[in-house]
Amino acid sequence: MADHAPGGNGLRATLSTLDGPLRFLLLSSFVIPLGSFMVLPFMSVFLHERLGMGLGTVGVVLAVASLVQFSGGIVGGALADRFGLRRTMLWALVIRTAGFVGLLAALRWPPLAVGALVLTCCGAALYLPANKAYLVNGVDEGRRPAFLSAGNAALNAGMAVGPLIAGPFVLTTPGWLFVAVTALFVLVTAGHARLPAAKAEAEPGPGSGGRGLLAGVAVLPFAANALAFYLYFHFQHFLAVYAVERASSSFYSVVLLLCFALVIVVQPLASGLIRRMPYATALGVGFAGLASGMAVLAVGTRPALLAGGALITLGDIVLFLKNDLEALRRSPRSDAVVFGQQRLAAGLGACASGVLGGQVYDLTSRAGSTGWFWLLAAAQCLLLPPLLSALRTREDDGRRHPTLTTTKEH
């Protein structure tokens, strides 16, 4: 079955094995980002225009929130390893729901908005590693790419639809919007309370959380994920200002919709091919996609914005899925801990991109040629990945002379 995963029939056959709880989890993987992205993409505008915060303060708040949401995943993975996947998801949703209640209360007392935003990001950090681990719990290696890519597709679909629904209401009637999102999260939380415990977590014990958060980390996939997110977030952080200057905010939305659509359609269909692809080949293909996309963006025309976004998205489809699969294969830790470690790598990369990329974009902007920003990013996509070969040699040597058990924890 897994050998035919790249095709539509093989993918449907694989996903048809999903039972009721996993189908609910996939639905939740759409509904949760749908609700979140009805609010979070507009937070900079909401904090600045509705609550009167200065843009400098808004930038700091969003940077902290992003770092918490990504890097906090390593804590989420450790908690899931210690207390169980279902229980951790439930706690995470309770925390996130409380965050949206706080945003509603912030309409009356604005200082609450910062704490409420950070609370929603804490909930996201705790939820995602447990969600991914539950989705692949007890699934053989051949079917894991299809299950993970289906979850990623559902997540991206929710991220795409949420802003479209909420855009007309977030500044005019934010109270009703926050009430609707809170109610949505209450329903999803209640559904998670009815999920059965995952097969491998029926008796979580105190010893399962006794190792360090980075113990057993798969060094090469961790480093490759950090680098991939560092390079990709040049696109994520700075495309908006670049595209709006050359086209319009509406056209920027079209570019984002194209990128979301590619992830939703292409990644599930290509999941089996990505699984079978040698890791070195996948890294080469993925980083080449990022490099070519960044270079095309430098042209600055509308067709270039669409083509560049598409190439970058195809590159990240390969990189993000393959890095997760390779980390699961190489690490002796439980799935939840592995996903948490990979989220930490993503957070470090995204944060570095914001700090370093912001400085470079500012320099090129003042020089009057922001196209050079994308050319410099493209050069990094070609020059930095070869550094991973040293880590690859080191990790291969480590596997030939292991110091840790190779039995997967649960």
Side-chain angles (χ1 to χ4, degrees):
M1 184 184 301
D3 291 340
H4 303 287
N9 292 335
L11 177 65
R12 284 193 295 270
T14 297
L15 296 180
S16 67
T17 63
L18 290 170
D19 57 18
L22 291 185
R23 289 177 186 273
F24 170 77
L25 206 63
L26 277 182
L27 177 62
S28 298
S29 295
F30 168 76
V31 171
I32 289 172
L34 170 72
S36 298
F37 273 68
M38 288 170 68
V39 174
L40 298 182
F42 304 101
M43 284 308 298
S44 59
V45 179
F46 178 76
L47 293 174
H48 178 57
E49 296 188 9
R50 183 80 184 194
L51 302 184
M53 290 186 183
L55 285 174
T57 303
V58 169
V60 172
V61 170
L62 295 181
V64 171
S66 297
L67 186 61
V68 168
Q69 181 164 340
F70 276 101
S71 299
I74 194 167
V75 177
L79 290 175
D81 195 34
R82 176 68 182 268
F83 298 107
L85 303 178
R86 184 184 67 88
R87 191 178 302 175
T88 302
M89 287 191 290
L90 196 56
W91 289 346
L93 288 171
V94 169
I95 290 171
R96 205 159 194 193
T97 303
F100 286 111
V101 172
L103 288 175
L104 180 62
L107 292 173
R108 294 295 185 95
W109 192 40
L112 276 177
V114 174
L117 176 60
V118 172
L119 204 59
T120 65
C121 292
C122 288
L126 294 178
Y127 181 83
L128 194 59
N131 170 280
K132 284 188 170 184
Y134 194 104
L135 191 61
V136 299
N137 182 257
V139 175
D140 63 78
E141 186 174 341
R143 292 187 298 160
R144 284 187 164 200
F147 281 38
L148 284 175
S149 59
N152 290 338
L155 184 143
N156 278 272
M159 291 167 62
V161 175
L164 296 178
I165 295 175
F169 310 109
V170 70
L171 290 179
T172 57
T173 54
W176 287 108
L177 178 64
F178 293 161
V179 167
V181 172
T182 301
L184 189 65
F185 270 83
V186 168
L187 292 174
V188 172
T189 303
H192 278 67
R194 297 177 62 85
L195 284 174
K199 297 172 185 175
E201 66 163 35
E203 297 179 0
S208 59
R211 296 173 64 181
L213 295 178
L214 284 174
V217 67
V219 177
L220 179 57
F222 183 91
N225 212 43
L227 181 58
F229 271 82
Y230 164 71
L231 295 170
Y232 172 73
F233 263 74
H234 283 67
F235 170 76
Q236 187 79 6
H237 283 314
F238 305 109
L239 179 66
V241 62
Y242 182 77
V244 170
E245 286 176 353
R246 285 156 180 76
S248 66
S249 57
S250 298
F251 190 79
Y252 169 62
S253 299
V254 171
V255 175
L256 290 185
L257 284 174
L258 171 65
C259 296
F260 282 127
L262 286 173
V263 176
I264 294 165
V265 174
V266 173
Q267 191 177 74
L269 295 176
S271 59
L273 175 63
I274 294 171
R275 177 184 69 84
R276 293 193 300 273
M277 192 180 294
Y279 192 31
T281 302
L283 292 178
V285 169
F287 285 118
L290 295 184
S292 58
M294 301 285 186
V296 170
L297 286 178
V299 177
T301 62
R302 292 191 176 205
L305 293 174
L306 287 170
L311 288 168
I312 290 169
T313 301
L314 293 174
D316 81 60
I317 283 172
V318 176
L319 285 173
F320 296 165
L321 179 58
K322 189 64 175 181
N323 281 331
D324 276 355
L325 293 172
E326 199 68 14
L328 288 170
R329 187 179 71 84
R330 292 177 180 229
S331 175
R333 301 298 298 275
S334 70
D335 295 344
V337 170
V338 173
F339 286 127
Q341 291 171 342
Q342 290 298 95
R343 288 288 287 179
L344 172 62
L348 295 175
C351 184
S353 178
V355 174
L356 299 177
Q359 298 300 317
V360 175
Y361 195 93
D362 183 56
L363 288 174
T364 57
S365 178
R366 283 188 286 171
S369 182
T370 47
W372 278 101
F373 170 81
W374 301 108
L375 292 177
L376 291 171
Q380 291 181 78
C381 294
L382 296 175
L383 296 175
L384 294 178
L387 298 177
L388 296 173
S389 61
L391 290 175
R392 182 182 176 190
T393 301
R394 174 183 170 187
E395 193 166 47
D396 287 344
D397 289 343
R399 290 209 306 274
R400 283 193 291 269
H401 307 285
T403 57
L404 291 172
T405 177
T406 57
T407 301
K408 196 79 165 174
E409 298 175 2
H410 290 286

